[in-house]
């Protein structure tokens, strides 16, 4: 085990690689911006927080082009991706093109863009928004959830992989 000296600042690249050893699922998180335009991004920082009340969390980088939208929204939807949605994860992480191209959204009044095709959809209201260094931590209260059967997409060491449900 290679040890690090506690009084030395942690190298961000090394930290990133170390965090990459932690396998996660992959989500696409959406909201409406101040003008009502759908915005969305791929996020693997999603996690559970509390069962009663039903709370979940994720964090958004302050440098994100969607930062203002998510930092000031009242609702967001978190979509856990299926094993075969790696391309969609890249689409929602890309700086180029329309992230919502060919994405089927639920019709009717929605608090945030609701993608039909996903493993689980958590429809959340904003519960709390905390500072977290170069990110902000957003805590959502789960107002509604919908799930389908299937396998989840996983992210490990910067690569996608399918997981058995
Ligand atoms: C698998 C994966 C997970 C990601 N997780 C996060 C995340 O949790 N939070 C975040 O702010 N950005 C995350 N990103 C980066 C964003 O999806 C996006 O690429 C980045 O913010 C740049 O685009 P933007 O400026 O339009 O947001 C992730 C990207 C990938 C591919």
């Amino acid at each position: 085990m290679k040890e690090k000296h506690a009084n030395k600042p942690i190298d961000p690249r090394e930290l990133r690689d170390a965090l990459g050893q932690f396998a996660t699922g992959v989500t696409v998180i959406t909201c409406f911006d101040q003008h009502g335009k759908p915005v969305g991004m791929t996020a693997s920082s999603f996690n559970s927080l509390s069962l009663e009340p039903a709370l979940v969390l994720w964090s958004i980088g302050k440098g994100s082009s969607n930062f203002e939208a998510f930092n000031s929204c009242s609702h967001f939807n978190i979509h856990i991706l299926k094993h075969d949605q790696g391309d969609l994860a890249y689409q929602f992480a890309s700086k180029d093109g329309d992230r919502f191209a060919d994405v089927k959204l639920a019709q009717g009044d929605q608090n945030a863009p609701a993608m039909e095709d996903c493993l689980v959809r958590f429809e959340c209201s904003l519960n709390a928004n905390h500072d977290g260094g170069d990110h902000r931590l957003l805590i959502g209260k789960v107002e509604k959830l919908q799930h389908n059967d299937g396998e989840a997409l996983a992210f490990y060491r910067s690569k996608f992989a399918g997981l058995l449900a």
Side-chain angles (χ1 to χ4, degrees), residues 26-90:
V26 185
T27 68
V28 166
I29 305 184
T30 59
C31 73
F32 290 117
D33 74 6
Q34 297 87 329
H35 310 288
K37 184 177 153 249
V39 298
M41 64 189 287
T42 300
S44 57
S45 55
F46 167 74
N47 219 319
S48 55
L49 178 61
S50 162
L51 292 180
E52 291 180 285
L55 301 176
V56 294
L57 61 81
W58 69 289
S59 62
I60 179 167
K62 288 179 182 170
S64 166
S65 62
N66 289 327
F67 181 74
E68 278 315 311
F70 280 108
N71 194 38
S72 55
C73 72
S74 61
H75 292 79
F76 49 81
N77 287 343
I78 300 175
H79 309 82
I80 298 181
L81 299 190
K82 296 184 196 166
H83 71 104
D84 58 355
Q85 290 183 307
D87 287 348
L88 194 67
Y90 281 128

Side-chain angles (χ1 to χ4, degrees), residues 16-159:
R16 209 188 170 99
D17 289 347
L19 292 170
Q21 304 286 355
F22 185 62
T24 66
V26 185
T27 68
V28 166
I29 305 184
T30 59
C31 73
F32 290 117
D33 74 6
Q34 297 87 329
H35 310 288
K37 184 177 153 249
V39 298
M41 64 189 287
T42 300
S44 57
S45 55
F46 167 74
N47 219 319
S48 55
L49 178 61
S50 162
L51 292 180
E52 291 180 285
L55 301 176
V56 294
L57 61 81
W58 69 289
S59 62
I60 179 167
K62 288 179 182 170
S64 166
S65 62
N66 289 327
F67 181 74
E68 278 315 311
F70 280 108
N71 194 38
S72 55
C73 72
S74 61
H75 292 79
F76 49 81
N77 287 343
I78 300 175
H79 309 82
I80 298 181
L81 299 190
K82 296 184 196 166
H83 71 104
D84 58 355
Q85 290 183 307
D87 287 348
L88 194 67
Y90 281 128
Q91 185 169 320
F92 273 90
S94 167
K95 291 266 183 204
D96 309 315
D98 174 9
R99 289 186 177 175
F100 285 89
D102 301 321
V103 173
K104 195 170 168 220
L105 298 177
Q107 295 301 301
D109 244 7
Q110 304 288 338
N111 290 319
M115 287 169 34
E116 298 269 25
D117 191 19
C118 63
L119 193 56
V120 183
R121 185 172 74 222
F122 299 96
E123 300 186 16
C124 302
S125 58
L126 182 73
N127 175 265
N129 177 334
H130 297 287
D131 192 48
D134 57 11
H135 280 60
R136 280 201 78 90
L137 174 64
L138 302 186
I139 297 177
K141 178 167 182 285
V142 181
E143 305 285 357
K144 197 170 157 189
L145 68 86
Q146 284 188 297
H147 44 90
N148 298 308
D149 292 334
E151 294 173 21
L153 182 66
F155 190 62
Y156 178 61
R157 288 183 175 168
S158 306
K159 289 199 178 77

